[in-house]
Amino acid sequence: MHPETATTVPVTSAPDAVRRAALLAALDVVEGGAEERFDRITRIAREALGVSGSFLNLAGDTSLTIKSQQSDAHFGPVIPLQDTFCGRTMGERGPVLVPDARIDARYSDMPMVVGDPNVRFYAGVPLRLGDDDVKVGTLCLIDPEPRTLDADELALLQELGVWAERELAAGADEDRLRSVLAGLEPGTVDVPGYRIAGLSVPHGVVSGDFHDWHRSGDDAVHLTVADVMGKGMSAGLLAANIRGALLARGDVAPDVAVAELEAQVAPDLSRAESFATLFHGRLTPSTGRIDFTDAGHGLVLQLRDDRAERILRSSDLPIGLHPAGIERASGSLVMRPGDVVIVVSDGALELWDSTLASLSQLGALYRESPDVATFLQRVRSRAVDHDPGDDLTVVVVARDL
């Protein structure tokens, strides 16, 4: 593709400006500050092409955000789009090459040309996103001395532009993935006399944990917390498979549901050289009884109304490791009014000392909190201050009456 050399200045249409501003807002990258994934690109551009400055710019409707810059002189980070090289070249079809801005009618009157930093050379490639290839910014170079780029150098700048587009697109994919995952979060369930809530904080974009609760036809509440070994996409896919298998058995007793689930998903876990711990219970609201099967999970804390606490351990192996043909142990507990049951993934232990004593610390945090929502917010805040380095899930069942 040849660089533009016309002396007219195309004007970006208002609809295009609105579209790119909306797309950038959806990407959620403008306000995030510097990111190494973009700084890596501008560093290479400056060093490989021997210029005084390289920039990755994102154009809104009226302003330009400098997302990454490698330059002795610092700019921005937000400047008016008008009277910038990038703003004036957003309407060009391809890369723009300006050997000497002083003698180019498109740019000779610009403040950064006639004054500090006295830009002479400019080269930029547009960055496009979305199905309609909307131009959302530029990857560009500046220098105070007139110069040009040969064919190989221009090709390198374009390749770096493609890299930048892919990094931006990866952000868009993550946003879509987060939206999908948010849709998988259990909705609010109304159980008179009880409060049921939870949170899940992935270590990355995708979590290998999942939690769920739902009412069955006989008004029982089925509760699940699972933790697939590992993190990231592979663990998330396996967790989604387990979640789907359990939802297909929504009204089945926990021991039967887990046995059928294991028969279905254990081969997938084995092929992936993974396993999953799982707590799956059925609450009868009228009695407070929870019948459950615990497949190697063992991270259940019961806080009693008399301030006593009990940790329920598991004697079974995780799904994918449990010997075939051997029945799993089933258990039960009874919640009295004022009791609370907290089920977590092992990421919760990393919020303190990585031992089971962390469950007592979690229980103390709950007792210090005025309500469930505050407790969960405090857990989330602690995860920010004490990165667990793992996916984190916490589910609370509190009986009031």
Side-chain angles (χ1 to χ4, degrees):
M1 184 180 292
H2 297 290
E4 298 293 338
T5 56
T7 57
T8 58
V9 181
V11 178
T12 303
S13 68
D16 284 345
V18 172
R19 289 166 65 207
R20 69 171 179 258
L23 186 54
L24 288 174
L27 284 174
D28 196 26
V29 295
V30 174
E31 303 296 335
E35 295 184 52
E36 174 58 25
R37 61 189 178 124
F38 298 121
D39 290 345
R40 183 181 305 125
I41 296 170
T42 51
R43 272 199 304 270
I44 293 174
R46 184 186 188 190
E47 294 170 5
L49 297 171
V51 292
S52 65
S54 62
F55 304 84
L56 194 158
N57 302 316
L58 301 175
D61 51 356
T62 60
S63 62
L64 187 77
T65 298
I66 302 175
K67 183 62 180 177
S68 175
Q69 58 181 305
Q70 309 295 327
S71 173
D72 293 335
H74 188 80
F75 301 91
V78 179
I79 57 178
L81 182 61
Q82 185 180 14
D83 289 337
T84 64
F85 280 95
C86 295
R88 290 193 178 188
T89 59
M90 285 291 290
E92 302 283 11
R93 294 187 300 274
V96 174
L97 186 59
V98 183
D100 189 344
R102 290 175 302 181
I103 58 175
D104 191 315
R106 295 175 296 176
Y107 311 105
S108 59
D109 64 330
M110 288 177 51
M112 65 180 61
V113 174
V114 299
D116 188 62
N118 299 300
V119 175
R120 298 295 177 260
F121 167 75
Y122 169 87
V125 293
L127 303 178
R128 296 179 172 87
L129 280 180
D131 296 336
D132 298 330
D133 285 338
V134 177
K135 292 180 183 178
V136 297
T138 59
L139 177 66
C140 65
L141 314 171
I142 63 170
D143 200 85
E145 297 295 329
R147 58 164 293 180
T148 189
L149 298 180
D150 62 28
D152 289 341
E153 291 173 325
L154 183 59
L156 174 58
L157 181 61
Q158 290 178 282
E159 289 168 359
L160 290 171
V162 171
W163 183 1
E165 289 174 341
R166 289 176 178 171
E167 290 292 350
L168 287 168
D173 288 340
E174 288 185 3
D175 283 345
R176 285 193 290 270
L177 184 54
R178 287 190 181 98
S179 296
V180 171
L181 293 175
L184 297 179
E185 293 285 320
T188 302
V189 60
D190 182 18
V191 184
Y194 293 82
R195 288 166 292 148
I196 301 175
L199 65 79
S200 186
V201 181
H203 180 60
V205 177
V206 182
S207 176
D209 291 358
F210 84 85
H211 64 288
D212 188 65
W213 52 72
H214 65 271
R215 300 291 293 268
S216 59
D218 57 359
D219 285 337
V221 181
H222 294 257
L223 305 157
T224 308
V225 173
D227 183 358
V228 176
M229 184 193 73
K231 297 179 285 292
M233 185 66 73
S234 60
L237 290 172
L238 291 169
N241 191 20
I242 293 172
R243 180 181 183 274
L246 273 178
L247 287 176
R249 298 167 173 85
D251 290 347
V252 179
D255 56 341
V256 176
V258 172
E260 293 180 356
L261 160 77
E262 188 155 31
Q264 177 178 332
V265 305
D268 292 336
L269 291 167
S270 178
R271 283 190 293 270
E273 298 182 343
S274 185
F275 60 84
T277 65
L278 171 76
F279 174 90
H280 184 57
R282 179 182 184 275
L283 167 66
T284 303
S286 60
T287 63
R289 180 184 174 98
I290 300 179
D291 296 297
F292 62 85
T293 296
D294 190 319
H297 198 73
L299 297 174
V300 182
L301 175 68
Q302 183 176 12
L303 302 176
R304 296 191 183 277
D305 63 338
D306 59 4
R307 303 195 68 80
E309 67 179 45
R310 173 190 178 198
I311 297 175
L312 285 75
R313 302 306 313 276
S314 174
S315 59
D316 284 353
L317 292 173
I319 293 172
L321 297 179
H322 192 75
I326 298 180
E327 290 188 6
R328 290 189 174 276
S330 295
S332 66
L333 63 88
V334 175
M335 298 183 66
R336 299 177 299 198
D339 283 4
V340 178
V341 171
I342 303 175
V343 188
V344 303
S345 65
D346 56 9
L349 305 184
E350 305 302 325
L351 297 178
W352 283 277
D353 65 0
S354 303
T355 71
L356 278 180
S358 298
L359 287 181
S360 293
Q361 297 280 358
L362 191 70
L365 184 63
Y366 179 86
R367 294 190 188 279
E368 294 166 1
S369 302
D371 50 48
V372 173
T374 302
F375 165 67
L376 292 175
Q377 182 55 50
R378 289 175 176 176
V379 171
R380 190 182 294 275
S381 297
R382 187 168 181 87
V384 173
D385 296 334
H386 302 78
D387 181 8
D390 198 356
D391 302 324
L392 167 66
T393 296
V394 177
V395 169
V396 178
V397 182
R399 185 178 184 187
D400 299 322
L401 302 175

